[in-house]
Amino acid sequence: MTDTYAVFGNPIAHSKSPLIHGWFAEQTGQDMTYQALLAPEDDFQGQAEAFFAEGGQGANVTVPFKLDALVFADKLSPRARRAGAVNTLQKGQNTEIYGDNTDGIGLVRDLTDNLGLDLKGKRVLLVGAGGAARGAVEPLINAGVARLKIANRTPEKAQQLIKIFHGLQPEAELAAGNWDSLEGNQFDLIINATSASLSGNVPPLPRGLFAPGAVAYDMMYAARPTPFMSWAEDVGASEVSDGLGMLVEQAAEAFFLWRQVRPETTGILHRLRMLLQEEAHG
């Protein structure tokens, strides 16, 4: 019997998740289908309940429903509970719904496996304190960073994240503040976890943040460099990357949770990058 999976979002037509999971299934010989489902902004629960009642086995969840999915799940993984957001749902025994968050592990896998970065001992700046940032904090700490600073327009939100993850790895220095608090600091890795690039903007960060050899990473992705990537190159980043690899790696982690087989991602990422470039020039 073919198992059914989906991704919920609003909007959702642009999602590459059905394509990615279709490639994963083909590569690993899994008998499954995967579709994109547009959920009403005011009724994620109703849509999700109907999907699982009709035989759905698992789902990904994207903007703006990751907090709704947190509430919807019957059980949460420790990382999803601490992140306060769910991007992966799985039907368990007795129709219980299990909620997890694979965003952060997808980010770290892209940084380490695809980009070849060693995060141990690094000074990292996480820009933004919303849902995307929440999922990234714990995996970054567990990867052995020496210092993690979270900067946000409203520093109170960044401080809240520090409180949640304080003590997870005592040797990691955690700090929070607004844009002005960054003056005089330098980092080995700066991650843009805001959605500013979608609107063609860049967070108002001061210059001089990039240490020699530093990397800039935008969680957003596009066929062309994002505004954040272009800004970072102009002000001293040695290497820049978008978040397409994070998209593929978080999907692979969800696929592994559902099917207990881990797909190979390097070829998938290359195929997806080529497709985006074709779409941009088509």
Side-chain angles (χ1 to χ4, degrees):
M1 181 177 174
T2 302
D3 292 330
T4 303
Y5 296 87
V7 57
F8 290 96
N10 189 331
I12 199 60
H14 67 287
S15 176
K16 301 300 183 188
S17 292
L19 191 62
I20 294 169
H21 284 280
W23 286 340
F24 285 166
E26 179 184 301
Q27 178 198 114
T28 58
Q30 299 295 299
D31 185 10
M32 58 180 281
T33 64
Y34 188 107
Q35 59 186 318
L37 296 176
L38 179 69
E41 289 194 18
D42 60 352
D43 192 26
F44 167 81
Q45 179 167 332
Q47 189 90 343
E49 283 178 350
F51 171 76
F52 284 107
E54 293 166 7
Q57 293 298 304
N60 291 127
V61 182
T62 188
V63 177
F65 299 121
K66 292 184 182 182
L67 294 180
D68 299 87
L70 181 81
V71 175
F72 178 76
D74 299 307
K75 286 186 176 181
L76 297 172
S77 69
R79 62 188 178 189
R81 185 178 296 110
R82 279 191 287 266
V86 162
N87 80 324
T88 303
L89 296 169
Q90 180 178 22
K91 183 187 284 187
Q93 295 179 342
N94 303 318
T95 70
E96 263 189 341
I97 304 300
Y98 177 75
D100 201 354
N101 190 310
T102 67
D103 282 333
I105 195 67
L107 167 68
V108 168
R109 283 219 179 98
D110 189 34
L111 290 168
T112 58
D113 295 357
N114 298 328
L115 300 179
L117 301 183
D118 182 1
L119 296 178
K120 291 180 181 177
K122 294 298 190 292
R123 299 163 293 174
V124 179
L125 171 63
L126 188 59
V127 183
R134 294 180 74 98
V137 175
E138 181 173 350
L140 285 169
I141 294 173
N142 288 339
V145 303
R147 183 171 191 245
L148 177 63
K149 175 142 189 178
I150 305 172
N152 196 58
R153 181 178 58 84
T154 52
E156 294 78 13
K157 289 186 68 177
Q159 290 285 0
Q160 288 172 2
L161 284 191
I162 295 300
K163 289 179 181 178
I164 292 169
F165 296 100
H166 179 72
L168 194 63
Q169 294 284 354
E171 60 272 23
E173 178 191 344
L174 304 182
N178 59 12
W179 314 133
D180 292 339
S181 73
L182 298 174
E183 290 284 358
N185 288 262
Q186 284 200 322
F187 300 91
D188 304 302
L189 171 64
I190 299 180
I191 301 169
N192 179 27
T194 75
S195 59
S197 288
L198 293 177
S199 54
N201 298 315
V202 177
L205 303 175
R207 301 172 72 90
L209 294 178
F210 291 97
V215 176
Y217 187 98
D218 196 340
M219 287 189 182
M220 300 295 109
Y221 65 88
R224 299 180 178 87
T226 68
F228 175 78
M229 291 165 65
S230 298
W231 170 83
E233 278 193 316
D234 289 342
V235 299
S238 295
E239 184 180 348
V240 298
S241 176
D242 69 6
L244 191 66
M246 176 182 172
L247 174 70
V248 172
E249 295 295 344
Q250 64 81 25
E253 180 72 6
F255 190 90
F256 176 72
L257 290 172
W258 296 330
R259 311 301 296 183
Q260 294 303 297
V261 58
R262 188 175 298 283
E264 187 278 325
T265 56
T266 303
I268 299 294
L269 178 55
H270 178 71
R271 288 174 71 179
L272 190 58
R273 181 74 70 189
M274 295 295 291
L275 180 66
L276 283 178
Q277 291 175 353
E278 289 173 9
E279 291 178 352
H281 293 98

